[in-house]
Amino acid sequence: MEKHGRNKDRLGKEILYSQALRAALPEAEYAVAPLYAAAYNGDVNAIGGLARLGVNSNRQHEQSGFTALHVAVFKCKLTAVDALLTHFRGKMNLHVQDKKGDTALHIASHLGFVEIAGLICDEEECDPLSVVNKEGQYPIDIVRNH
């Protein structure tokens, strides 16, 4: 395995980890940034605190292109989606696309998360007909074909 980096286990022994291991555990990657971790875990208190600190809600994960909103939608964390939309209102770009060209609304549509899609669509900045993914689909196209 190709060496990607070093870490220490609980006993302080050095362990090696690889790119392959990191790819096999993608959810661990979301813990790299605090807002991703809060969204992934549905921690609305942490989301509120991070918003007060002024963290960037549009920061994208290097490999997936996910934002914290993408993560919360993907994990079906309704309260986290609501907290992100509330605390970062006016600062969050709802049309950020991941590596597949999907916005958070595309993901909610694909996974059939109607309540989450409704929350996103209720935002003034949301325009469900402004972004197509790499397959040329709007979120409504995904709903129709799902």
Side-chain angles (χ1 to χ4, degrees), residues 99-122:
K99 298 283 181 166
K100 296 179 182 177
D102 289 331
T103 64
L105 185 56
H106 280 92
I107 293 170
S109 299
H110 179 70
L111 296 174
F113 298 155
V114 177
E115 286 182 76
I116 290 175
L119 280 176
I120 296 170
C121 286
D122 284 345

Side-chain angles (χ1 to χ4, degrees), residues 68-85:
L69 184 60
H70 284 86
V71 173
V73 170
F74 183 76
K75 294 301 291 179
C76 194
K77 303 288 186 177
L78 181 65
T79 56
V81 170
D82 186 44
L84 287 164
L85 294 172

Side-chain angles (χ1 to χ4, degrees), residues 116-144:
I116 290 175
L119 280 176
I120 296 170
C121 286
D122 284 345
E123 292 297 305
E124 188 176 319
E125 299 84 23
C126 182
D127 181 359
L129 296 176
S130 68
V131 180
V132 294
N133 62 14
K134 288 187 178 179
E135 296 176 9
Q137 297 176 314
Y138 293 104
I140 192 67
D141 297 327
I142 295 170
V143 171
R144 287 183 184 139

Side-chain angles (χ1 to χ4, degrees), residues 3-17:
K3 293 179 186 175
H4 182 71
R6 296 180 184 272
N7 204 350
K8 293 192 177 196
D9 68 9
R10 291 183 340 163
L11 301 174
K13 293 186 289 186
E14 214 168 34
I15 55 174
L16 300 176
Y17 59 96

Side-chain angles (χ1 to χ4, degrees), residues 39-81:
Y40 183 89
N41 293 311
D43 188 341
V44 296
N45 292 325
I47 291 169
L50 291 165
R52 286 188 294 280
L53 290 173
V55 300
N56 180 2
S57 61
N58 297 310
R59 180 176 178 209
Q60 290 183 268
H61 180 266
E62 189 176 305
Q63 290 176 320
S64 67
F66 273 21
T67 63
L69 184 60
H70 284 86
V71 173
V73 170
F74 183 76
K75 294 301 291 179
C76 194
K77 303 288 186 177
L78 181 65
T79 56
V81 170

